[in-house]
Amino acid sequence: MIFAANLKCNHTRESFREYAEILNSNLDQNENVLVFPPFSAYEKTDYKFKLGAQNFYPCESGAFTGEIGKAMLDELGIRTVLIGHSERREILNESEEFLKVKFEFAAKNGWDIIYCVGENLATNEANKTKEFLKNQLNNIDLSYENLCIAYEPIWAIGTGKSASGEQIEEILNFIANLTKAPLLYGGSVNAKNIGQIAKISSCNGVLVGTASWDAYNFLNLIKEAK
Ligand code: PEP
């Protein structure tokens, strides 16, 4: 199972050092753990987990104020990126067109991509989730070999209200008909509900926000998944 931690805009360089040390001393070498810290916390160090980028600008380098390009990720050896997170879609106004450009740039470089999709509450309540997700997924090459899709219903992100096991299974099965890429679920995953989520056969892992910000909480979640 893949365990991806999205630290979002949490952890300073100093607190991330501590966080990484706790994971390093408690994770098995063969665990498939990915951590996406804020850029300011990055260090060129060996970890027992893989380091990913929450964001990047689709450029080598250049006049893009406030952005991070391939040259900076290369220097840190980062080849795993998140694209399409709902917070970037909604708060930072990243459009389908821009996400396509980011996807194509990342794919051209052979990076591992976790591509996030998910519907809001109104779409969910109108029973339009599958149609909506199909449109989002039509934006990218679903046969890209280093792709992972994260289904993250917006109404479940950071709300403490995860989708039910049945809802997750139905949607992941639907996505599995469209792509052979591994599938993650994200949205209020925690140590209490991971056991049920881990049993879903089409679920290859989880993308965790809140419950990953404390290293011991995240380790506990990984332990409970087993
Ligand atoms: C996320 O932001 O990707 C996420 C799943 O957050 P949370 O676990 O807090 O719902």
Side-chain angles (χ1 to χ4, degrees), residues 4-6 8 82 85-87 116 150-154 156-161 185-190 206-213:
N6 178 11
K8 310 193 188 191
L82 269 188
H85 192 282
S86 62
E87 285 154 14
C116 304
Y151 167 54
E152 297 209 304
I154 296 171
I157 297 180
T159 59
K161 184 179 175 283
Y185 166 73
S188 296
V189 178
N190 57 42
V206 283
L207 178 53
V208 188
T210 315
S212 72
W213 300 344

Side-chain angles (χ1 to χ4, degrees), residues 83-100:
I83 303 178
H85 192 282
S86 62
E87 285 154 14
R88 294 209 62 87
R89 290 177 187 262
E90 298 209 318
I91 305 169
L92 283 304
N93 293 321
E94 291 196 359
S95 64
E96 290 292 340
E97 292 72 26
F98 184 57
L99 293 175
K100 189 178 172 67

